[in-house]
Amino acid sequence: MAQFTGYENWRAFTSAGTQIVTEDIKETKAKPAIKFYVKWLLTGAAVILLSIVVLALLKKTDNHIKIGKVSFSSKPVTSGLPNTVIFQYDATDSNADSVFIQQSWDTRQRFKVDKQLHEYTSTYYVPGYYKAKLILNDSVVKQNDVYIETDGWVGLIETKPIPIYLPKSVFENKRQMGITEKVLAHQKIDFSQELPVFTLTNVDKGIDLSSENFLLDAELQNTFNDNSKGICRETHIAVLGTEGLIDIPLCKSGCVGEIGIMLGMKYINGKTINLSGLGVDFERPVKVHCEAKNGRIKIFVNGNTGYEDEFRQNIGRIVGFRITFRGTGVLNSFDCRKS
């Protein structure tokens, strides 16, 4: 019978049985010890997990930026365009992990700098007024005025990343400022693939007009005739201030649903507001008159009311102007003065 169950003889069979019983007894005695061990293992894991959560919460609570003595200043190295600005900064007294300098409102122009250093240079290619920012982690802690001024009016073709600067002899004469398609071709600027954007800019912090009370008069004309690209003949008159800008758009009447007015931080969308008063045919020069007074702003186009609105939140001091033609255009006259 022992051999039938797979053992050599009876003695081998009984010896195997004894070993099985012995192992069962040992296993039975070990079960309470195993349960005790597992219990303490789970308790220890819970304590460790709770500690991690508490430490994370404490770290989050203590994640406030400690600014300390932080300094930030700037200075252009020259006049004209392009212009490099030297930023002096000191953020060593803060607890920030990362330090950034941002050229303007545009977050794409944000650059990480070394916290232990104190100088960084940044190049500006377009004239204007900018509020540069010193950023610790994700908090703006300092701002600095940057003026990229011009010597009178400058003309440029907007291209990325660097615009094409035009000599005064190309865009300015005794009667007007501007360019034609013939001028573009003569300057070897290819506008067959993409619509050119021609800009006239004058930035001077000495202008120093209040945006609360001013009068602006301009006579201009978009002269681009390629209807396959610039059929709307979109044109903008912008007043640059230390606290924002006023942007007055003009276009062909059929395109007024695609434009919008900017009044400081307020945007008036042509898709939801009737801006038909800013539609023109541009077959002849257009006269634009803008006046701001007593918390209101009025825009007249060829003597007719183009738009009128409240203007409670002004744009600070006026420091410059920008005329932009999608395509080509001319500016016959321009004047801005105190009302």
Side-chain angles (χ1 to χ4, degrees), residues 71-76 85-88 102-104 124 129-134 140-147:
S71 62
F72 184 50
S73 63
S74 62
K75 184 180 180 181
V85 174
I86 299 176
F87 290 102
Q88 299 280 350
Q102 187 171 307
Q103 279 191 350
S104 63
Y124 290 73
Y129 168 81
Y130 303 91
K131 273 191 178 296
K133 306 174 189 300
L134 180 67
V140 177
V141 298
K142 290 281 186 179
Q143 295 191 98
N144 194 256
D145 294 342
V146 176
Y147 294 90

Side-chain angles (χ1 to χ4, degrees), residues 264-302:
M265 299 302 293
K266 182 180 180 180
Y267 181 69
I268 296 93
N269 193 336
K271 291 187 179 299
T272 56
I273 301 294
N274 183 359
L275 297 181
S276 59
L278 302 178
V280 295
D281 60 19
F282 275 125
E283 294 306 311
R284 58 188 61 82
V286 177
K287 292 183 178 181
V288 177
H289 174 77
C290 176
E291 58 182 56
K293 190 176 183 180
N294 299 327
R296 294 195 65 80
I297 190 166
K298 299 178 182 179
I299 302 167
F300 299 89
V301 179
N302 289 329

Side-chain angles (χ1 to χ4, degrees), residues 97-239:
D97 298 320
S98 302
V99 180
F100 303 89
I101 289 177
Q102 187 171 307
Q103 279 191 350
S104 63
W105 57 268
D106 190 350
T107 55
R108 293 172 298 179
Q109 301 301 316
R110 179 181 294 187
F111 307 98
K112 188 173 184 179
V113 298
D114 194 323
K115 180 180 177 179
Q116 302 305 318
L117 299 181
H118 303 292
E119 194 170 85
Y120 183 79
T121 61
S122 187
T123 303
Y124 290 73
Y125 294 100
V126 178
Y129 168 81
Y130 303 91
K131 273 191 178 296
K133 306 174 189 300
L134 180 67
I135 301 169
L136 303 184
N137 290 355
D138 58 354
S139 301
V140 177
V141 298
K142 290 281 186 179
Q143 295 191 98
N144 194 256
D145 294 342
V146 176
Y147 294 90
I148 306 300
E149 298 179 271
T150 62
D151 182 12
W153 289 90
V154 298
L156 54 88
I157 304 294
E158 295 184 13
T159 55
K160 299 295 184 182
I162 302 173
I164 299 171
Y165 306 108
L166 300 173
K168 278 188 178 290
S169 59
V170 170
F171 70 86
E172 186 175 10
N173 58 49
K174 293 180 180 179
R175 295 182 298 106
Q176 59 189 196
M177 292 183 290
I179 59 169
T180 62
E181 294 169 50
K182 185 181 291 186
V183 169
L184 287 178
H186 184 71
Q187 292 294 311
K188 298 181 179 180
I189 298 170
D190 182 14
F191 57 92
S192 61
Q193 300 298 321
E194 189 174 356
L195 179 68
V197 178
F198 169 58
T199 297
L200 290 165
T201 308
N202 185 354
V203 179
D204 182 354
K205 60 185 177 183
I207 294 172
D208 201 21
L209 283 172
S210 169
S211 62
E212 290 182 323
N213 298 283
F214 74 91
L215 298 173
L216 182 149
D217 286 286
E219 184 178 281
L220 71 171
Q221 182 180 11
N222 189 306
T223 60
F224 201 64
N225 291 313
D226 188 344
N227 289 337
S228 64
K229 300 182 187 67
I231 191 168
C232 288
R233 294 190 176 184
E234 192 173 331
T235 302
H236 292 259
I237 301 172
V239 180

Side-chain angles (χ1 to χ4, degrees), residues 66-72 89-95 118 134 136 141-142:
K66 296 176 183 176
I67 299 175
K69 295 180 180 178
V70 174
S71 62
F72 184 50
Y89 67 96
D90 189 345
T92 53
D93 197 32
S94 74
N95 66 343
H118 303 292
L134 180 67
L136 303 184
V141 298
K142 290 281 186 179

